[in-house]
């Protein structure tokens, strides 16, 4: 504490205060003198607070100081945790309160001056919401906020310039250095001119050098333009690919679609967009505005200590508890009547939540689809750069899949045929082996017979002769057939060519005329299309401007209508309140007791009296209940004990009856055995 007071005295003895205090004189200051000293320090920080506290009321002084301390974000020390005690100490000029404030202010005088200067322009003036409904007030408030943002940006630029390190001395040194360099360059240029003047045709060479420099600069600019045009061409190709892809998708979507389905899709998209515009986005925007408003309000408020936060938390808990009690009372009061409505409300809230969830899912799916389309465009461009084939999609992919399926079935069918042929080939191979074995056996038998008869080799020679003659006859027959076929084919081809020439001659003439006509119609179509596009563009621009004007007028009309209804409602409420006040005044002043009893004041007085009587009766009943509570509890305990005793007796009686019944059964069983 002594170090704190010593620091305060040192600062007050310096400029601009120059108080000439010592520790004893400063400690002996009275409360009014301390408050005046605090006001002088605050006036040094903010000139508006340089006032004589004797000329204003103590409440005004405390309010003024607390406001400025809140703007400067002063936090009371831990020893003065209670905010009310701090305010009371500030009003009375208590030393434990004033000394820490002076120490904090004198420590950060320059920083607090800057903060007070900014607070004059950045502390936002809160305008009530009902005043903002007026267009003039709303426009002025908007201009006020824009000017505040402009001041923020200008102040930041000013601070950056101040902290950039460029002082006037450095700038002057830089200017002098540049002037020296300029003089040196001028002298160097003069020396070079003198050296060049001795050379023949130096003017022409200087002109050529200048043209060379210009051409090099032009070459650099052209190279830069070429690079920019390449980039633009690349971006244009990407846009063209995206447009072609969108056009292809639109063609695929329109090929098999009907007007009814297209209208249904458009209606669904319009409904979804209207839901986003009218319900979802305004709700989110309103919530963002509310959160921003509360955050700005929290930032504008002065700094709060932990005790203030604890007090606020206690108040919030109390208000929540009271709100829950009111909700329970309301539910108990209106539940039998509004049970059906509550069920419908619950269903409506569930449906609205589901609707919001589905809208968010749809929005996420659309974003995912757009990102997937971007990735697909990138992959397509990469494939085109690598000279790859185009990626199939839509009907082409379906056609390709169907083609693969047909080829797969054909492949399976042929595979089965190959398996059958392979099996048959195995059988035939086995048959061939058996026949070869039989043939060899027969040949051996025939050779043995020829050896016996003395004509060995006869059968082999005969087979060779027959084979050669058969081959010769087949060759002769094949040659004859080939010559006949060739001659017939030549005749047919000649006749077909003649027929085709004769039949195609008029068609070719007609085709030439049609080609010429097609070229004329194509040229005319292009001209009409250009005219149509220009006309459509003009009409579209006119339509958009008219739609914007109509939309603005409708919004203005709706705003004016809402203002009109709001003013009428407020007028009606004021008239009703005025009428009720007149009637109440008339009834209250009236000498007639019956008329006076109709006054609201008398009715409330009667109700208050009835409630007081009812409270007295209830307190008397409570007193009687409290007095009879002990005996009644004892009596209830005695009755419970009596009830337990009777229950035990009943159980004992039932057990005894069961035992006697079992004994009788045993006796009867013994008698029956004796009889037998």
């Amino acid at each position: 504490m002594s170090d704190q007071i010593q620091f305060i005295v040192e600062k007050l003895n310096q400029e601009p205060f120059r108080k000439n205090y010592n520790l004893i004189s400063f400690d002996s200051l009275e409360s009014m003198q301390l408050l005046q000293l605090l006001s002088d320090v605050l006036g040094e920080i903010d000139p508006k607070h340089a006032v004589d506290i004797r000329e204003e009321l103590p409440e005004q002084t405390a309010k003024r100081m607390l406001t400025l301390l809140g703007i400067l974000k002063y936090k009371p020390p831990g020893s003065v945790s209670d905010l009310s005690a701090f305010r009371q100490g500030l009003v009375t000029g208590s030393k434990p309160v004033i000394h820490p404030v002076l120490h904090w202010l004198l420590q950060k005088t320059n920083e607090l001056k800057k903060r007070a200067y900014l607070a004059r322009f950045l502390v936002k003036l809160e305008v009530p919401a009902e005043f903002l409904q007026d267009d003039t007030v709303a426009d002025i408030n908007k201009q006020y906020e824009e000017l505040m943002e402009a001041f923020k940006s200008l102040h930041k630029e000013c601070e950056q310039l101040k902290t950039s390190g460029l002082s006037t001395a450095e700038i002057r040194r830089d200017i002098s250095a540049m002037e020296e360099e300029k003089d040196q360059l001028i002298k160097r240029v003069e020396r070079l001119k003198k050296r060049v003047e001795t050379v023949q045709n130096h003017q022409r060479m200087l002109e050529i050098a200048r043209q060379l420099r210009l051409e090099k600069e032009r070459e650099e600019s052209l190279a830069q333009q070429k690079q920019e045009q390449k980039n633009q061409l690349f971006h244009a190709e990407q846009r063209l690919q995206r447009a072609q892809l969108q056009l292809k998708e639109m063609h695929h979507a329109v090929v098999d679609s009907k007007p009814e389905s297209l209208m249904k899709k458009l209606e669904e998209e319009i409904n979804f967009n209207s839901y986003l515009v009218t319900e979802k986005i305004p709700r989110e925007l309103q919530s963002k505005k509310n959160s921003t408003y509360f955050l700005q309000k929290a930032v504008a408020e002065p700094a709060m200590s932990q005790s203030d936060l604890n007090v606020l938390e206690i108040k919030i808990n109390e208000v929540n508890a009271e709100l829950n009690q009111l909700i329970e009372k309301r539910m108990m009061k209106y539940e039998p009547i509004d049970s059906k409505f509550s069920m419908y409300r619950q269903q409506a809230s569930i449906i609205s939540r589901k609707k919001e969830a589905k809208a968010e899912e749809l929005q996420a799916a659309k974003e995912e689809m757009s990102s997937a389309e971007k990735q697909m465009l990138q992959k397509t461009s990469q494939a085109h750069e690598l000279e790859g084939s185009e990626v199939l999609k839509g009907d082409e992919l379906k056609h390709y899949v169907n083609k693969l399926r047909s080829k797969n079935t054909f492949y399976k069918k042929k595979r089965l045929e190959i398996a059958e042929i392979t099996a048959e080939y195995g059988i035939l191979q086995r048959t061939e082996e058996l026949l070869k074995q039989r043939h060899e056996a027969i040949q051996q038998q025939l050779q043995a017979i020829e050896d016996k008869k003395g004509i060995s080799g006869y059968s082999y020679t005969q087979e060779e002769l027959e084979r050669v003659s058969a081959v010769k006859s087949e060759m002769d027959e094949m040659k004859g057939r080939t010559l006949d076929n060739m001659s017939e084919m030549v005749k047919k081809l000649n006749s077909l060519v003649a027929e085709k020439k004769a039949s195609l001659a008029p068609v070719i003439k007609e085709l030439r005329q049609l080609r010429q006509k097609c070229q004329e119609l194509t040229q005319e179509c292009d001209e009409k299309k250009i005219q149509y596009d220009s006309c459509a563009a003009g009409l579209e621009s006119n339509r958009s401007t008219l739609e914007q004007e109509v939309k603005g007028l409708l919004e203005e009309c709706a705003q004016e209508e809402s203002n009109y209804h709001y003013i009428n409602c407020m007028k009606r409420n004021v008239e009703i309140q005025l009428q009720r006040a007149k009637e109440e005044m008339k009834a209250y002043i009236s000498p007639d007791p019956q008329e006076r009893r109709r006054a609201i004041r008398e009715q409330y007085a009667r109700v208050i009296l009835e409630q007081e009587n009812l409270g007295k009766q209830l307190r008397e009943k409570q007193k009687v209940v409290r007095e009879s509570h002990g005996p009644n509890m004892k009596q209830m305990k005695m009755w419970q004990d009596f009830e337990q005793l009777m229950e035990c007796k009943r159980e004992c009686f039932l057990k005894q009856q069961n035992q006697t019944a079992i004994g009788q059964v045993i006796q009867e069983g013994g008698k029956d055995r004796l009889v037998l």
Side-chain angles (χ1 to χ4, degrees), residues 606-629:
R606 287 197 300 274
V607 171
I608 290 168
L609 184 60
E610 291 175 359
Q611 293 297 324
E612 288 178 353
N613 294 329
L614 181 61
K616 289 179 181 179
Q617 294 175 4
L618 291 173
R619 283 194 292 273
E620 291 175 358
K621 287 182 180 181
Q622 184 181 12
K623 185 177 179 182
V624 171
V625 169
R626 285 179 178 175
E627 290 175 354
S628 61
H629 179 68

Side-chain angles (χ1 to χ4, degrees), residues 35-97:
L35 286 174
Q36 183 62 50
L37 184 60
L38 179 60
S39 179
D40 293 340
V41 175
L42 292 175
E44 181 62 28
I45 293 171
D46 190 356
K48 291 193 299 182
H49 292 267
V51 295
D52 191 354
I53 63 173
R54 293 175 294 181
E55 297 178 358
E56 60 182 1
L57 297 174
E59 292 80 7
Q60 294 178 353
T61 303
K63 184 178 179 182
R64 176 173 58 81
M65 291 180 179
L66 285 171
T67 304
L68 184 56
L69 289 174
I71 291 172
L72 299 177
K73 296 182 180 180
Y74 172 72
K75 296 180 181 179
S79 60
V80 194
S81 59
D82 192 2
L83 189 59
S84 61
F86 173 75
R87 291 173 180 170
Q88 188 67 27
L90 191 63
V91 172
T92 58
S94 177
K95 291 181 181 180
V97 174

Side-chain angles (χ1 to χ4, degrees), residues 244-245 247-253 255-256 376 380 384 389-407:
Q244 288 177 353
L245 185 62
L247 181 63
K248 200 172 184 181
E249 290 177 354
M250 292 175 69
H251 279 308
H252 287 308
V255 167
D256 297 330
M376 186 180 66
T380 307
H384 282 300
S389 60
E390 188 178 357
V391 180
L392 298 176
K393 55 189 292 186
D395 294 338
E396 294 180 356
L397 183 61
K398 291 180 182 178
H399 181 68
Y400 182 69
V401 171
N402 293 327
K403 189 176 179 182
L404 285 177
R405 287 176 181 172
S406 61
K407 286 185 177 180

